[in-house]
Amino acid sequence: MKKVLMVCLGNICRSPLAEGILKSKVNKETIFVDSAGTAAYHIGNLPDVRSIEVAKTYGIDITNQKARKITVKDFDVFDFIYAMDESNYENILLLARNSNDKQKVKMILKESDAAKNKSVPDPYYGGNSGFENVYKMLDEACTIIARKLA
Ligand code: 4NP
């Protein structure tokens, strides 16, 4: 079983979408996907309604998800840890205990554009179009991740 963790700040906007999108592209028997946030603000909450809605538009249901905070134990469980943005990336690395932990962490958009260190923009304070944009970026990256994991 390969295990993938998607990480953003609140675990209610970007990483729940990344989790739902990747799950829709992989074999659940061999690949486990989860998500978490670096902050505790929204622990136990459902994804943001705008993430739920954009996922639904593409036939993906993410209403079974609940926000949680990343912990150091996640390094023992997961093989690949994807950060949505630079700040998430740095906060995840602060939890890493050693180089083995560190090498699991990658910026998710590096999968779709290795030359750039692009971030998935935080859509929390914007409108619905921000969520559509985030969805498209994550869909492209997750297509590549799914192909690599297969
Ligand atoms: P996310 O978006 O990190 O993609 O889940 C955010 C959610 C909540 C907040 C910020 C970003 N917040 O400040 O509460």
Side-chain angles (χ1 to χ4, degrees):
M1 195 87 173
K2 290 175 194 162
K3 297 182 184 136
V4 182
L5 183 66
M6 302 296 192
V7 182
C8 62
L9 176 63
N11 192 209
I12 56 165
C13 297
R14 292 165 292 177
S15 60
L17 276 177
E19 176 187 335
I21 293 167
L22 187 60
K23 277 180 172 163
S24 77
K25 295 178 190 285
V26 298
N27 179 351
K28 287 192 181 63
E29 308 290 314
T30 55
I31 296 160
F32 175 72
V33 187
D34 192 16
S35 66
T38 60
Y41 320 128
H42 299 281
I43 290 174
N45 291 359
L46 277 173
D48 188 285
V49 111
R50 296 162 294 177
S51 284
I52 291 174
E53 282 305 312
V54 74
K56 199 160 117 188
T57 305
Y58 290 94
I60 294 174
D61 180 9
I62 60 167
T63 59
N64 59 330
Q65 297 187 33
K66 278 207 169 61
R68 71 172 181 91
K69 190 171 185 278
I70 187 173
T71 74
V72 70
K73 287 202 191 92
D74 286 311
F75 286 107
D76 297 327
V77 173
F78 291 93
D79 307 296
F80 307 96
I81 300 177
Y82 285 110
M84 300 296 122
D85 69 28
E86 200 79 47
S87 154
N88 310 146
Y89 181 80
E90 278 161 21
N91 284 314
I92 300 164
L93 284 186
L94 287 176
L95 285 177
R97 298 156 298 189
N98 50 48
S99 60
N100 188 51
D101 287 355
K102 282 184 187 155
Q103 57 86 24
K104 296 182 175 187
V105 190
K106 193 170 179 181
M107 293 277 280
I108 192 167
L109 296 185
K110 274 231 166 189
E111 294 290 5
S112 32
D113 196 345
K116 296 189 187 137
N117 220 26
K118 265 174 62 182
S119 286
V120 180
D122 182 347
Y124 189 63
Y125 294 104
N128 289 334
S129 66
F131 283 75
E132 179 75 27
N133 183 40
V134 162
Y135 188 96
K136 288 191 172 129
M137 290 173 144
L138 291 176
D139 189 57
E140 189 185 354
C142 287
T143 297
I144 293 160
I145 294 167
R147 204 180 298 143
K148 280 192 177 174
L149 291 173

